[in-house]
Amino acid sequence: MESISLKSLGGAETVTGSKHLLKTPELTVLIDCGLFQGTKFLREQNWENLNTDVSEIDAIILTHAHLDHCGYIPLIVKNGFKGKIYMTEPTRELTKLILLDSAKLQEEDAEKANRYHYSKHHPAKPLYTIYDAKKSFKQFFTVAENREIKLNNHIQIRFKQCAHILGACSVEVTCYGKIIIFSGDIGRNHSFILPAPDFFTQADFLVMESTYGDRLHDNTNLYDELEHWINLTVKHKGNIIIPSFAVGRAQEIIYILNQLKEQSRIPKNLPIILDSPMAAAATDIMLEYADYTNIDQQKWIEVLDTITINRDYEKTEKIVHDKQSKIIIAGSGMITGGRVLEYLKHDIGNSKNTLLIVGFQAEGTRGRALLNRSHELKMHGKYYRVKANIVEITGLSAHADQSELIDWIKKFQSPPKQIMLVHGELSPLEALRVKIQSELQIPVKIMRKDEEITLF
């Protein structure tokens, strides 16, 4: 028999652009198909040819709907991929939403570049278009969790939910008698709105994320922390701004803030505004698939009735200049763009206001700069002094920390023969490698981009 090999085309030594290629004698399968985000060096890789023949890829398995895992799909289809793209039903709906938004932004960026002549390409073109995104939807194929799907006589796949976002799953690939697990992005053991991560009990090889491989999340009571900062800011007549990922994080924040109001821990008349069309659409999808959460649909309806959802950009300016204290939840989660910039331009220079950072901030993003105590922030070509309170809330992370990742591995009845670490920056990768090898005595390989390794 010929060898089975693994090659990471992205998501290796970085947290973005996840694409892991499993090559077998009969089928070539790509697990995740994400865009690179963050620094210009990373984003430019989206324009480079993949280090493989796209026409030879037979199937794509999608773990979840975040852009760094699904955002390259329209381009790979445009470049000749003809096979099925396997995912859960909620992932299908969220992926459609995210890809259409991504395509719209690509088209708008190209149009601006051409209008203002700031691109070295003439004319500037989008990476892909709305037409390309919609065309790729025809190849989506939904699967149920815990149900075996045969790709051929020698390869089967199975999904188990992993609590990262709605519909997110880890994937088991049974391949010529060996079991290869792709963790996807593993969520917290105690999510506020999602069931705890499910797990597999058998594996020969494990391809595992390492986003927070070098840290433990703060055990401070999340409700106490939010109560403190919200009430302190309201006391000083300031605003609370929460940059949020549209899918998953925004919905969790809405639910927690509702709980704080119901418990009279924050003012019941304090306005909560969700200013993000994508987050609003993602919330609609979550409501449709409420069975995938810990909250029933009726309760979600009651929660959503207590907030203001703004889908209209023209209303954003009015909200920005409203002097009443309020909580604003707006995209983007890493402050790379979106409506949150309009609020920050107005509020970041006032010490009465508080910015709550509630998710992972990649290198090269404004969010990471603020966590690194940057004294100024550049937005839309202008620098703004940072005087607002910048507070990191780690209890809302959608990624497992080091101890939770280790616990997830311990659930295997017999340990994997080899672990390949992906989806992490250099420090978390190395810290998790050392921790696994010293505590669990399992060999660990840190995957490098375009390096092909033989599994068996």
Side-chain angles (χ1 to χ4, degrees), residues 372-433:
N372 291 339
R373 302 302 172 192
S374 176
H375 67 284
E376 61 184 6
L377 208 60
K378 186 179 182 182
M379 294 178 282
H380 297 158
K382 183 179 176 181
Y383 284 94
Y384 294 80
R385 294 283 294 177
V386 177
K387 294 183 179 180
N389 301 298
I390 310 299
V391 180
E392 184 179 18
I393 307 286
T394 64
L396 272 166
S397 174
H399 284 274
D401 66 10
Q402 186 190 80
S403 67
E404 290 168 322
L405 293 173
I406 294 293
D407 287 345
W408 195 81
I409 299 171
K410 287 180 178 178
K411 290 183 168 68
F412 288 102
Q413 293 176 357
S414 55
K417 298 181 180 67
Q418 175 90 41
I419 294 177
M420 282 68 67
L421 292 182
V422 298
H423 201 282
E425 294 173 355
L426 296 180
S427 178
L429 282 164
E430 182 61 18
L432 188 59
R433 181 192 70 81

Side-chain angles (χ1 to χ4, degrees), residues 251-264:
Q251 294 76 38
E252 190 163 32
I253 293 167
I254 289 166
Y255 177 76
I256 293 168
L257 293 175
N258 177 264
Q259 291 287 292
L260 288 172
K261 280 192 172 185
E262 286 190 348
Q263 296 168 18
S264 300

Side-chain angles (χ1 to χ4, degrees), residues 38-312:
T39 63
K40 183 177 180 181
F41 167 76
L42 288 169
R43 297 195 310 272
E44 286 177 341
Q45 294 181 53
N46 293 320
W47 295 89
E48 299 172 4
N49 291 329
L50 290 181
N51 191 12
T52 193
D53 186 345
V54 169
S55 66
E56 293 182 359
I57 300 174
D58 299 289
I60 295 174
I61 299 170
L62 187 59
T63 62
H64 68 284
H66 276 150
L67 195 66
D68 61 323
H69 291 258
C70 74
Y72 196 82
I73 286 174
L75 193 57
I76 204 169
V77 170
K78 183 179 179 180
N79 290 339
F81 171 72
K82 305 293 185 186
K84 291 180 179 178
I85 306 170
Y86 295 87
M87 65 193 77
T88 64
E89 281 192 30
T91 296
R92 176 192 61 194
E93 298 309 310
L94 291 171
T95 299
K96 287 180 178 179
L97 171 68
I98 285 174
L99 293 184
L100 287 174
D101 181 74
S102 174
K104 178 174 175 285
L105 291 175
Q106 299 279 354
E107 290 183 354
E108 289 175 353
D109 288 346
E111 191 274 330
K112 287 178 184 176
N114 290 322
R115 188 195 315 163
Y116 297 111
H117 309 289
Y118 58 73
S119 173
K120 62 183 179 181
H121 303 287
H122 304 287
K125 295 181 179 180
L127 190 63
Y128 53 80
T129 65
I130 291 173
Y131 171 82
D132 296 326
K134 289 181 176 179
K135 186 178 178 182
S136 72
F137 301 166
K138 298 175 183 177
Q139 292 167 238
F140 288 8
F141 186 84
T142 59
V143 299
E145 296 173 21
N146 291 307
R147 183 173 298 175
E148 189 177 273
I149 303 294
K150 292 184 69 171
L151 301 187
N152 70 4
N153 289 333
H154 297 106
I155 303 175
Q156 300 86 41
I157 63 173
R158 187 162 58 110
F159 286 66
K160 279 186 180 289
Q161 69 84 18
C162 61
H164 178 58
I165 62 170
L166 186 74
C169 285
S170 303
V171 179
E172 172 191 79
V173 182
T174 303
C175 179
Y176 295 88
K178 302 288 188 180
I179 298 175
I180 307 163
I181 302 295
F182 292 84
S183 74
D185 288 358
I186 301 172
R188 305 295 309 280
N189 288 339
H190 304 288
S191 168
F192 291 90
I193 64 172
L194 295 174
D198 203 347
F199 54 90
F200 297 98
T201 57
Q202 301 293 327
D204 295 288
F205 302 94
L206 171 59
V207 183
M208 186 170 192
E209 70 118 322
S210 55
T211 311
Y212 284 132
D214 62 344
R215 69 186 288 180
L216 302 178
H217 293 315
D218 192 348
N219 285 326
T220 303
N221 184 288
L222 174 66
Y223 279 55
D224 290 346
E225 202 170 7
L226 288 171
E227 176 186 9
H228 168 76
W229 285 107
I230 291 170
N231 287 332
L232 181 66
T233 305
V234 171
K235 179 181 177 182
H236 291 113
K237 299 183 179 179
N239 294 320
I240 301 95
I241 303 169
I242 309 177
S244 177
F245 300 105
V247 178
R249 195 66 40 79
Q251 294 76 38
E252 190 163 32
I253 293 167
I254 289 166
Y255 177 76
I256 293 168
L257 293 175
N258 177 264
Q259 291 287 292
L260 288 172
K261 280 192 172 185
E262 286 190 348
Q263 296 168 18
S264 300
R265 299 178 66 169
I266 62 174
K268 291 193 174 183
N269 63 348
L270 179 64
I272 299 173
I273 300 165
L274 177 65
D275 195 345
S276 166
M278 183 187 285
T283 302
D284 293 339
I285 293 170
M286 185 206 61
L287 195 60
E288 181 182 354
Y289 291 95
D291 288 349
Y292 283 75
T293 76
N294 292 329
I295 319 299
D296 66 48
Q297 191 177 63
Q298 182 55 43
K299 177 61 179 177
W300 275 120
I301 292 171
E302 294 171 7
V303 169
L304 295 175
D305 282 343
T306 66
I307 69 169
T308 299
I309 297 178
N310 179 40
R311 302 174 193 252
D312 186 353

